[in-house]
Amino acid sequence: ITDNMCPTGDHSRMRMGSNDAECTIACRNAHAALYVLFDGKQTYALSDQKSPEKFAGKKATVTGTLDTQTMTIDVRSIAAAN
């Protein structure tokens, strides 16, 4: 889980915190960035913008329905990836 200002999870340019999680949350709070899921190839917007915070900067499994036109996942659940 990252933010749409650092959509590939590379926070080296922004570095708004000491780690990826802090940077993701700081971008969200300071710049109104949105939480997104990056799967290593593609970035997906997330309909739920509250639950992802505890997974910021971490690998997570997102369950939901993908709207391929908007590349947005209608989130049903988010859990830590195994």
Side-chain angles (χ1 to χ4, degrees), residues 16-43:
M16 292 185 62
S18 62
N19 58 48
D20 291 342
E22 288 179 8
C23 186
T24 298
I25 293 168
C27 282
R28 169 99 167 109
N29 294 334
H31 300 293
L34 299 174
Y35 290 118
V36 297
L37 173 70
F38 178 63
D39 69 2
K41 295 180 186 176
Q42 180 68 44
T43 300

Side-chain angles (χ1 to χ4, degrees), residues 6-17:
C6 303
T8 63
D10 179 6
H11 299 271
S12 60
R13 277 191 15 214
M14 296 294 282
R15 272 301 157 210
M16 292 185 62

Side-chain angles (χ1 to χ4, degrees), residues 38-74:
F38 178 63
D39 69 2
K41 295 180 186 176
Q42 180 68 44
T43 300
Y44 303 92
L46 300 171
S47 65
D48 179 352
Q49 289 294 300
K50 291 183 182 179
S51 300
E53 183 171 347
K54 62 184 167 188
F55 303 103
K58 300 175 183 160
K59 293 185 180 205
T61 300
V62 176
T63 303
T65 304
L66 174 62
D67 179 332
T68 56
Q69 299 243 336
T70 62
M71 297 307 286
T72 300
I73 299 173
D74 184 13

